[in-house]
Amino acid sequence: MSESEFTVEAFRDFLVEGRIMGSRCKGCGAISLPPRPICTQCGGQDLEWVELEGKGTVRAYTVIHVPLTRMRDRCPYACGVVEFDEGPRISGLILGVSEDEEMAVGSRVEVEFVKEGERTALYFRLV
Ligand SMILES: [Zn+2]
């Protein structure tokens, strides 16, 4: 794998190492997550890797009480949109949700890496 390839596959490889890597446009500064070979804001193709700290804010969510099979043990959890402090938004699952009231738009979350066989999944946890 070349580090110059801004792909979802590269993103997943970084997750295995416990790193959240996005692509940052050298033209306008926008960060894409997962990384994309072309800037989603300005169409620029001069990009660089940027590592995100893994902290963010919930911008939208739904609490899930009837889980996916692989998520049975983690119920209830939430499915939401998280905005990283560095700017990009990503949708994902938020763990550690025990009551609907504990969570709100604006709640702070941190990334949690969970090994699932060969791959590493990216989740969020309320902080
Ligand atoms: Zn751009």
Side-chain angles (χ1 to χ4, degrees), residues 2-12 14 20-50 52 88-91:
S2 162
E3 283 224 349
S4 63
E5 291 175 42
F6 298 97
T7 61
V8 172
E9 288 69 35
F11 175 71
R12 292 203 183 112
F14 280 121
I20 310 156
M21 302 294 288
S23 57
R24 178 165 54 204
C25 174
K26 291 183 184 173
C28 73
I31 299 173
S32 294
L33 194 78
R36 291 166 195 273
I38 295 174
C39 174
T40 52
Q41 296 300 307
C42 74
Q45 295 183 47
D46 192 11
L47 307 167
E48 61 186 353
W49 284 106
V50 58
L52 278 66
R89 292 183 174 203
I90 192 171
S91 60

Side-chain angles (χ1 to χ4, degrees), residues 41-73:
Q41 296 300 307
C42 74
Q45 295 183 47
D46 192 11
L47 307 167
E48 61 186 353
W49 284 106
V50 58
E51 182 163 6
L52 278 66
E53 208 184 326
K55 297 188 166 117
T57 305
V58 175
R59 291 303 178 203
Y61 72 96
T62 308
V63 175
I64 311 291
H65 291 279
V66 181
L68 299 170
T69 307
R70 68 183 173 88
M71 294 294 290
R72 259 193 317 247
D73 301 338

Side-chain angles (χ1 to χ4, degrees), residues 86-99:
E86 292 87 350
R89 292 183 174 203
I90 192 171
S91 60
L93 301 181
I94 302 161
L95 309 178
V97 180
S98 53
E99 295 292 336

